[in-house]
Each structure stands twice: as structure tokens, then as C-alpha cells.
């Protein structure tokens, strides 16, 4: 009986088959039989093999029809093998010199093992450095023979069949053959490791795998990729029948679904049936997920969660976005200097400060939005907490004198970020910020999404280009523990746009509390601060940013608009916060409030809102005051920016498409008539669900004080809320 039987399938490799056979026959260790498996006696490969068989008695040709595939060819060779151990070599790969001698020596040293795993080298077809993907898997294995349970990450599914030598009697006794056709190595390798009792490793390269220019056949498009799910199901079913221990089942599950996710995300492998593939994979994932299994971190972990949830649309968008955004530069600050990195690293080794809360709003623009509202309520309910706001240098002057701050990029900035127990932001912290175990990250958001956000932006080229790396974006999402929403629409859209493991808090936006708590005196005070003349109706004009435009340019001539609607009105102009550094615009009846710190104050002062597609409409609706949508470029915006719903079908009030229509709405009183009121009521039902004036309290109690969900104050029904009063009586002009 020869020491080794070497099975070499040869379908489609007649031109390269001689180098494979030569590499075997030239081995210094000669106790083997060589079994080339050809398609048919008259095939091109059979002609090549016939010459070798005439010259060397160790060559025993066999035949297997092409329809049987790679698995059939290997099984044919296995059935005819008589050697003590079996090796499988593809017809376009080679054994490195001395490989058989090394395998023989290792087997002699470790004894009668079922499987001897060894390393292999993947060599590029043209140029580039060879890779050794088996080395990391074998590096941590015990030195002698061992049971597979002692190396749980050595599952067999991540190694090709030609990266091991198998005891033939073991394969025969366990009735182990190659299943299926495509992805047969996955099924065979997994079943072998499940049944093996004693294995060993040779930490040396025995096979040189020569990469094809056209790539692996498994990368070609076609329906055959569904067989990966067949093999995955086969292996996991056998593992369940065998009651595989959890420490082995976890790595096996993870490695199998790493391959599944690679195939699901590959742009070419599944030209059709990708959704069906994903759905079946999702069902298998849920069926076989080990109890207590924790997905890996980073983008792969997000893919695991999307697969578990069956979120195919989000998965497709995420993968497409990451491919387009690969290599994009980070947009947020990083600790670049060596000293800064060292100081930050040192601070990360210190204990968390259990009473430190770090806040940031709009990438450091100052004391504003939900973070400011949460901070104010925390002073009341949790006075023991120290709060530090992160601000850009130019925002320091506008900070309230009794609020501690740290300038972004400073020593203090990185120190408090490293030590804080709680981190609260309405955007995102810098990429370099580390999510420490035990820290709590709260994402408050800063609006209700009409336009596409997060991963959903990927299919809109202009927006995707400005967003940067979606992989980095989702890495930032992975740091979140909680995400705040103000309505059920936001809950659903944020889950699509920012898939992650965080908990959603349907508590409302704290910045909107004031719309239910402000008094008539508060409204009068704000109007006086802004310079609104007594007796005038104030119309807030708040257009949104256009990603496809450069700079701020109002689509409305405000001077002409004021002239057209009469002198009983003044206009409060609030450009998007991207443009709050610009010079004052307008004068007289046009009051520029872009630079005012609080958008909530500006809304309180306004008797009505004019906007296009800004999320301010959702916040302002809490005041139950008229809203007019000026949609002069809706079709362009919807096409280039992307939206979650058709605003023209469910507007918060009257809609105007031209300056003339807009002026007419105010001249004839349509802005506040019964039709507008009915539209606003329906809009409020849909988008003002959780903003009842107690959002900040709920957030502080749950996140900063750690109170259980059942103790959090419930949301007051919309019909029972009393919005802050408007200054002017809203009657038909």
C-alpha cells in the first residue's frame, strides 16, 4: 500500500496539467500513487495523462464525466485510491519541492491522525506578492496531534481540500465524500472536521496554488452560487445533529456566513436571484444562529445584523455605497500629531469618569439643538454630572458663561473624550474617537428625514461623493448605544439609513420640548430680541441646503415677495446652518436670523413657516401654526437628493410652485384657511408623535440616570398637548 494517493482532477486544464503532474512525479519522496481524473478517454487531458501513464507505473488514469463536476472527479479518484493518506491537487496547481517528504515526516511524528492540515501559497498569475491564507489558521494550533475542539477556529470550511492530507480509512469509515459540485470544498472541509477525532498541522507550504488570470471559477456569475447555501445548510445541520459545543459552533457559523456575505455582496456573482439568495441566507442564519452569538465588529457586523433582520434593500445599498466610497478621505478631525495620539492613548488607559458627560452639536457649532436641551434638563435632574461641550474656536464667544467647554482638537478635547462615561451628539464624533467598554453613546439626530440619509444616500452620486466613506460612516454608527427619534417615520428611516446594534429611543426630540412649554411671555421676549415690530405677522423663511448647488442662493426674491404680500408681514430669513457665517442679508422687512443660536427661538417668534424641503417643517408643526411649502424645484431635488416620501402628496399645508403662487397664498389668506388646517392636522398626526414637552426628561432619566424603561414618563397624546401661543391672531386676511 503506497503512503499517499494523490487525486488530480483535470477538467479544462489540459494546457497546465503537465506542470502539476511533473511537480508530483519529481518529488524526492516516491511512495505514492498518482490518480489523474479525466473527462473521457478521448479528452485532451486524457491524451496528456496517457503519456505519463506509459512512462510511470505510479500513474493510474481514471475518468469522470464533466457533468459530475469537480466533486464527482474527486469522488471517482477517492474510490479507486489505495494509499494510506489521500491528497487532492487541482490540475493547475503544483506540489512544492520536498512537500511529500515533509508530509511523511510530520505524519510519522504525530502518529495516526485523521487529517493533517498544511499551508498553501496563492501565487498571482502575473505579478504581485504570494499570500499564505492558511498560516493564520494554523499558527495557534497545538504542536502535536490534537482534537478539533482544542483549535475551534480550525473548522475546515475556510481551507480548500488541497490544503490537507486525509487518512483514507477515516474517510471510508465515516462515508465522507465531496458533496454537490460548486463550493464542494466548503461542505467537505466542514464535514471532515466535524467527524475527525485527531488532527495535526504542518506549518509549512506544501501546495502552490496558481491564481488564474480570469479568477476563480466561483467568481463567475450564475445560479451555481446558490450551492454555497446548500453546503452551509449541510454543515450546520450536521453540526446540530452532532450537538457541537458552543465554542466550536460559533467559529463554524461565523466562517460559513462570512463566505455567504461575500457572495451576497459580490457585484458579479449573482446577476439574477440575488434577493432570493439573500432571503434564503437570512432564514438559514436565523435557524442556525448559536445561542448568545455576538456578531463581529465593524462593517461585517453590520452585514450580519442586516442578514439576521432580512433587510435586503439596506444590505444592497450598504455594499454599493462602500464600494463607491472606498478610499475617500475622512471628513472629521483625527488626532494626527504624535503627541496628541500618545496623550489620547494614555488617557484611554485611565478609568472612565462615571460623572462626565461630553456634548457636541453640529460638529462643534456651539450650545444648540438636542444636546443643549438634554444638558439643561440634566442640570435639573442630575446635578452631580459634569458636562463639557465640544466647540470650534469660532464658537467659543457664543457659549453661555456657565457652560464648560473644550475646543475641538485641544488637549482637553481628547482628554474628556477618552474619559467620559456619556457622549451625546446630534451628528457624529471624530473617526478617531474610541468606543470604550462601559461608555454610553447617545445619537440625538437633528431632524426628521425627508431627504435620504446615511447608507440610503449611496444611490445618489452627488450626495454620495460629498458623504465620503460609507464604511467609516457605519463604523461611527457602530459606536452608538442609543438613537433618538421623534416619530415612527424617523424610527423606520433611521433603521434603514444607519443599520446597527443600537437601541432606538422613541422619546421625542428634547429641543422641541419648548414648543409645548413656552409661554406667551417667552414668545414676546424672543420677538423683541429678533427685532420683530409690534403688530406685524412674522413669516419664517427657512430653505434647505442643495447638495448640487454651490453656496447659499435663495430661490425666492424676498424683496419682491414682501412687496407683493403687503406691509402687515415681515420675513425672518434663516438660511441652512451651513451658511451661518455669511453677511447679513436684506433689511427693513427682511430680518436675517441665520446666525441666531437657537432655531427653536426663531420658530417661536414666527406666526407661520415658509420652507421648501427643510426638516424644520417637522419641528415647527409641533406649534400647530401654518406652514407653506415653496417647491419650485421639487422634481430636481427629488431626483438628485432622494426623498423618503412624496411631500407634494402629504404636505403640512398649502404648496406653491412659483413666486406668484406663493404671494397669492398670503394675499388671499389661503395659508391659514380650513384646507391648510386640515393638511397640517394630518401632518401632525404622522410626524409629531413623540414631541410632547417631556423628551429631555425621558432621555436624562433613561440614558444618564439609568432608570428602567417602565419608569420613564409616557408620551402625552397629541390631542392633549397645548402648543406655545402665537403672537399674532391667525385669521383670514
Amino acid at each position: 500500500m503506497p503512503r499517499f494517493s494523490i487525486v488530480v482532477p483535470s477538467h479544462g486544464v489540459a494546457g497546465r496539467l503537465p506542470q502539476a503532474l511533473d511537480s508530483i512525479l519529481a518529488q524526492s519522496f516516491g511512495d505514492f500513487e498518482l490518480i489523474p481524473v479525466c473527462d473521457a478517454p478521448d479528452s485532451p487531458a486524457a491524451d496528456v495523462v496517457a503519456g505519463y501513464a506509459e512512462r510511470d507505473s505510479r500513474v493510474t488514469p481514471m475518468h469522470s464525466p464533466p457533468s459530475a463536476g469537480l466533486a464527482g472527479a474527486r469522488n471517482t479518484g477517492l474510490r479507486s485510491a489505495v494509499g494510506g493518506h489521500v491528497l487532492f491537487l487541482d490540475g493547475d496547481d503544483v506540489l512544492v519541492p520536498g512537500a511529500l517528504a515533509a508530509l511523511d515526516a510530520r505524519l510519522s511524528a504525530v502518529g495516526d491522525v485523521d487529517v493533517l492540515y498544511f499551508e498553501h501559497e496563492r501565487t498571482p498569475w502575473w505579478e504581485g506578492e504570494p499570500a499564505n491564507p492558511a498560516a493564520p489558521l494554523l499558527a495557534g494550533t497545538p504542536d502535536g496531534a490534537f482534537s478539533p475542539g482544542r483549535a475551534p477556529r480550525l473548522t475546515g470550511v475556510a481551507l480548500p481540500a488541497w490544503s490537507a492530507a486525509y487518512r483514507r480509512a477515516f474517510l471510508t469509515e465515516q462515508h465522507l465524500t465531496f458533496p454537490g459540485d460548486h463550493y464542494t470544498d466548503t461542505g467537505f472541509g466542514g464535514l471532515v472536521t466535524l467527524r475527525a477525532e485527531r488532527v495535526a498541522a504542518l506549518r509549512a507550504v506544501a501546495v502552490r496554488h496558481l491564481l488564474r488570470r480570469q479568477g476563480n471559477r466561483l467568481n463567475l456569475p450564475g445560479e451555481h452560487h446558490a450551492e454555497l447555501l446548500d453546503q452551509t445548510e449541510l454543515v450546520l445541520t450536521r453540526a446540530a445533529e452532532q450537538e457541537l459545543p458552543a465554542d466550536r459552533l460559533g467559529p463554524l457559523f461565523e466562517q460559513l456566513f462570512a463566505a455567504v456575505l461575500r457572495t451576497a455582496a459580490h457585484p458579479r456573482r449573482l446577476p439574477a436571484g440575488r434577493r432570493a439568495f439573500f432571503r434564503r441566507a437570512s432564514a438559514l442564519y436565523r435557524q442556525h444562529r448559536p445561542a448568545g452569538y455576538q456578531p463581529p465588529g465593524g462593517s461585517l457586523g453590520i452585514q450580519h445584523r442586516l442578514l439576521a433582520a432580512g433587510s435586503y434593500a439596506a444590505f444592497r445599498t450598504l455594499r454599493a455605497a462602500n464600494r463607491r466610497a472606498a478610499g475617500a478621505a475622512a471628513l472629521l478631525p483625527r488626532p494626527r500629531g504624535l503627541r496628541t495620539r500618545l496623550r489620547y492613548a494614555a488617557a484611554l488607559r485611565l478609568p472612565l469618569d462615571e460623572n462626565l458627560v461630553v456634548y457636541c452639536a453640529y460638529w462643534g457649532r456651539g450650545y444648540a439643538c438636542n444636546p443643549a436641551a438634554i444638558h439643561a434638563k440634566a442640570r435639573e435632574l442630575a446635578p452631580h454630572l459634569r458636562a463639557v461641550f465640544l466647540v470650534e474656536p469660532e464658537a467659543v464667544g457664543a457659549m453661555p458663561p456657565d457652560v464648560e467647554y473644550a475646543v475641538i482638537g485641544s488637549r482637553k478635547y481628547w482628554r474628556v473624550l477618552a474619559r467620559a462615561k456619556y457622549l451625546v451628539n446630534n451628528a457624529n464624533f471624530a473617526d478617531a474617537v474610541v468606543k470604550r467598554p462601559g461608555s454610553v453613546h447617545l445619537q440625538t439626530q437633528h431632524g426628521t428625514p425627508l431627504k435620504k440619509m446615511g447608507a440610503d444616500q449611496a444611490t445618489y452620486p452627488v450626495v454620495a461623493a460629498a458623504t465620503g466613506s460609507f464604511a467609516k460612516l457605519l463604523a461611527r454608527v457602530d459606536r452608538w448605544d442609543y438613537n433618538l427619534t421623534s416619530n415612527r417615520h424617523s424610527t423606520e428611516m433611521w433603521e434603514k439609513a444607519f443599520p446597527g446594534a443600537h437601541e432606538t429611543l422613541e422619546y421625542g426630540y428634547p429641543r422641541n420640548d419648548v414648543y409645548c412649554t413656552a409661554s406667551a411671555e417667552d414668545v414676546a421676549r424672543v420677538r423683541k430680541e429678533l427685532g420683530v415690530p409690534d403688530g406685524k405677522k412674522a413669516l419664517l423663511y427657512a430653505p434647505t441646503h442643495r447638495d448640487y448647488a454651490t453656496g447659499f442662493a435663495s430661490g425666492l426674491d424676498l424683496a419682491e415677495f414682501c412687496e407683493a404680500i403687503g406691509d402687515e408681514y415681515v420675513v425672518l430669513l434663516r438660511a441652512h446652518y451651513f451658511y451661518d457665517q455669511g453677511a447679513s442679508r436684506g433689511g427693513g422687512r427682511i430680518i436675517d436670523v441665520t446666525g441666531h443660536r437657537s432655531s427653536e427661538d426663531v420658530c417661536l417668534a414666527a406666526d407661520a413657516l415658509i420652507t421648501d424641503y427643510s426638516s424644520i417643517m417637522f419641528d415647527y408643526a409641533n406649534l400647530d401654526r401654518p406652514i407653506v411649502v415653496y417647491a419650485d424645484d421639487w422634481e430636481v431635488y427629488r431626483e438628485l437628493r432622494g426623498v423618503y416620501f412624496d411631500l407634494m402628496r402629504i404636505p403640512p399645508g398649502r404648496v406653491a410652485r412659483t413666486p406668484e403662487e406663493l404671494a397669492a397664498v398670503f394675499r388671499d389668506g389661503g395659508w391659514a384657511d380650513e384646507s391648510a388646517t386640515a393638511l397640517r392636522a394630518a401632518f401632525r398626526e404622522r410626524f409629531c408623535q413623540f414631541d410632547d414637552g417631556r423628551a429631555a426628561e425621558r432621555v436624562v432619566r433613561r440614558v444618564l440616570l439609568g432608570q428602567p424603561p417602565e419608569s420613564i414618563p409616557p408620551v402625552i397624546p397629541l390631542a392633549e398637548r397645548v402648543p406655545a401661543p402665537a403672537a399674532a391672531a391667525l385669521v383670514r386676511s
Side-chain angles (χ1 to χ4, degrees):
M1 180 177 69
R3 179 64 149 161
F4 300 108
S5 293
I6 306 173
V7 178
V8 185
S10 60
H11 175 69
V13 294
R16 294 180 294 275
L17 183 59
Q19 66 180 355
L21 302 180
D22 288 342
S23 73
I24 299 169
L25 296 172
Q27 291 288 312
S28 58
F29 184 89
D31 186 13
F32 62 84
E33 64 171 351
L34 173 56
I35 308 174
V37 183
C38 308
D39 295 343
D42 56 350
S43 66
D47 292 339
V48 173
V49 169
Y52 283 89
E54 291 176 359
R55 298 190 298 270
D56 196 315
S57 61
R58 295 174 297 180
V59 179
T60 306
M62 300 297 296
H63 303 285
S64 176
S67 59
L70 177 63
R74 287 175 173 171
N75 289 333
T76 296
L78 179 58
R79 285 193 296 269
S80 66
V82 296
H85 285 78
V86 182
L87 285 83
F88 300 94
L89 186 72
D90 284 355
D92 51 357
D93 295 340
V94 298
L95 285 180
V96 302
L100 294 183
L103 292 173
D104 174 70
R106 184 62 174 158
L107 288 169
S108 298
V110 298
D112 196 22
V113 295
D114 297 326
V115 188
L116 174 64
Y117 295 101
F118 50 78
E119 297 174 8
H120 63 271
E121 189 177 80
R122 295 171 60 88
T123 304
W125 75 275
W126 181 246
E127 61 182 1
E129 293 295 323
N132 187 345
L137 288 173
L138 303 183
T141 56
D143 290 332
F146 57 93
S147 66
R150 293 181 62 193
R153 296 204 62 79
L154 189 60
T155 65
V157 300
L159 291 174
W162 36 260
S163 198
Y166 309 88
R167 185 167 63 86
R168 184 174 60 83
F170 159 70
L171 297 180
T172 302
E173 293 162 2
Q174 296 295 330
H175 307 287
L176 290 167
T177 58
F178 286 87
D181 184 8
H182 297 87
Y183 295 98
T184 184
D185 285 18
T186 299
F188 181 75
L191 296 177
V192 163
T193 308
L194 286 175
R195 295 297 178 85
E197 295 181 357
R198 297 179 75 248
V199 300
L202 171 64
R203 300 186 191 94
V205 173
V207 171
R208 182 169 293 117
H209 176 57
L210 306 178
L211 297 173
R212 301 182 180 191
R213 182 188 179 204
Q214 65 272 33
N216 192 309
R217 283 172 290 191
L218 293 181
N219 289 335
L220 298 176
E223 298 178 354
H224 61 275
H225 292 288
E227 292 186 28
L228 173 58
L229 301 181
D230 296 339
Q231 303 297 340
T232 297
E233 183 174 19
L234 171 64
V235 173
L236 290 176
T237 299
R238 294 286 177 84
E241 294 170 352
Q242 192 172 313
E243 297 182 350
L244 197 68
D247 62 336
R248 292 185 62 190
L249 183 57
L252 177 64
F253 178 89
E254 185 166 303
Q255 291 177 21
L256 283 168
F257 277 97
V260 169
L261 287 168
R262 280 196 301 271
T263 296
H266 198 283
R268 293 180 58 249
R269 291 183 184 178
L270 295 167
R274 189 172 297 178
R275 186 184 297 271
F277 180 96
F278 187 91
R279 286 176 176 171
R280 183 185 171 197
S282 179
L284 288 174
Y285 189 101
R286 292 191 294 270
Q287 178 183 353
H288 292 284
R289 178 171 47 191
Y293 174 74
Q294 293 295 322
S299 179
L300 181 58
I302 295 173
Q303 295 175 51
H304 271 259
R305 292 189 284 273
L306 293 177
L307 188 63
S311 302
Y312 172 73
F315 178 86
R316 179 182 59 187
T317 300
L318 167 66
R319 297 305 301 157
N322 284 344
R323 287 194 297 271
R324 280 194 295 270
L331 299 180
L332 296 178
R334 306 178 68 86
R336 298 183 184 279
L338 177 60
R339 290 184 180 180
T340 302
R341 290 197 299 270
L342 293 175
R343 291 193 188 101
Y344 183 53
L348 288 170
R349 291 195 291 268
L350 298 174
L352 285 174
D353 185 337
E354 298 291 326
N355 293 322
L356 177 58
V357 188
V358 168
Y359 297 90
C360 190
Y362 298 115
W363 302 277
R365 289 183 60 243
Y367 189 79
C369 196
N370 291 318
I374 295 170
H375 169 260
K377 182 58 68 172
R379 281 183 157 181
E380 173 189 337
L381 300 179
H384 63 285
L385 296 177
R386 173 194 173 197
V388 179
F389 258 81
L390 307 181
V391 296
E392 291 288 356
E394 56 269 22
V396 169
M399 287 294 294
D402 58 345
V403 175
E404 184 180 356
Y405 65 86
V407 175
I408 290 178
S410 66
R411 290 188 186 183
K412 182 178 180 180
Y413 167 82
W414 290 109
R415 185 170 67 250
V416 296
L417 280 172
R419 299 289 312 278
K421 167 76 172 182
Y422 306 99
L423 295 98
V424 181
N425 207 325
N426 73 348
N428 259 309
F429 291 100
D431 289 341
V433 172
V434 174
K435 174 67 165 72
R436 296 186 62 178
S439 66
V440 177
H441 285 239
L442 169 64
Q443 168 58 251
T444 73
Q445 302 295 345
H446 53 271
T448 291
L450 166 61
K451 61 188 179 185
K452 293 294 181 74
M453 300 292 291
D456 291 338
Q457 297 173 334
T459 55
Y460 297 88
V462 173
V463 187
T467 300
S469 169
F470 283 89
K472 290 182 179 180
L473 168 66
L474 293 171
R476 296 191 290 270
V477 171
D478 275 348
R479 298 185 303 214
W480 302 354
D481 294 290
Y482 299 103
N483 184 38
L484 206 56
T485 74
S486 58
N487 46 61
R488 190 57 48 80
H489 164 78
S490 294
T491 299
E492 296 173 1
M493 298 309 106
W494 292 147
E495 288 179 357
K496 291 171 69 273
F498 303 114
H502 50 266
E503 180 181 349
T504 296
L505 300 180
E506 293 183 321
Y507 287 177
Y509 283 160
R511 72 180 185 187
N512 292 344
D513 285 353
V514 68
Y515 299 142
C516 292
T517 61
S519 64
E521 290 75 16
D522 294 323
V523 173
R525 172 186 52 80
V526 173
R527 286 170 67 92
K528 185 176 181 180
E529 290 177 0
L530 297 178
V532 178
D534 292 339
K536 298 291 186 180
K537 294 185 178 71
L539 307 179
L540 173 58
Y541 176 51
T544 193
H545 169 64
R546 302 295 195 275
D547 299 86
Y548 45 87
T550 302
F552 173 77
S554 173
L556 181 66
D557 188 317
L558 292 180
E560 290 185 2
F561 172 69
C562 288
E563 184 68 25
I565 63 176
D567 61 5
E568 65 179 302
Y569 301 98
V570 295
V571 173
L572 305 177
L573 169 62
R574 188 169 181 85
H576 191 275
Y577 60 82
F578 285 176
Y579 312 111
D580 67 353
Q581 301 302 314
S584 177
R585 306 172 185 88
R589 293 175 58 193
I590 303 171
I591 304 172
D592 188 349
V593 295
T594 302
H596 190 77
R597 177 181 60 82
S598 170
S599 63
E600 295 76 53
D601 280 358
V602 173
C603 288
L604 284 174
D607 298 296
L609 170 68
I610 304 171
T611 187
D612 42 22
Y613 326 118
S614 171
S615 65
I616 199 172
M617 74 178 77
F618 302 99
D619 305 317
Y620 192 84
N622 286 286
L623 289 168
D624 198 15
R625 302 177 190 175
I627 302 173
V628 177
V629 175
Y630 177 54
D632 60 332
D633 63 344
W634 169 249
E635 287 74 18
V636 175
Y637 188 86
R638 180 177 59 186
E639 182 70 21
L640 296 182
R641 186 57 179 84
V643 294
Y644 286 115
F645 64 91
D646 188 351
L647 182 63
M648 301 300 101
R649 293 182 57 197
I650 49 173
R654 297 292 295 272
V655 176
R657 302 301 295 264
T658 67
E660 292 75 21
E661 288 182 6
L662 182 63
V665 164
F666 285 91
R667 282 198 307 269
D668 65 16
W671 63 299
D673 64 10
E674 292 183 1
S675 173
T677 302
L679 290 170
R680 185 170 72 253
F683 192 84
R684 280 165 49 80
E685 285 286 339
R686 181 171 182 178
F687 297 111
C688 297
Q689 291 168 298
F690 310 140
D691 288 340
D692 64 347
R694 302 190 69 180
E697 178 185 353
R698 284 189 282 269
V699 171
V700 171
R701 292 190 182 280
R702 177 69 190 283
V703 178
L704 301 184
L705 294 177
Q707 295 180 2
E710 56 270 18
S711 70
I712 305 304
V715 174
I716 300 171
L718 183 63
E720 299 177 17
R721 302 175 203 165
V722 180
L730 301 180
V731 295
R732 187 181 180 94
S733 176

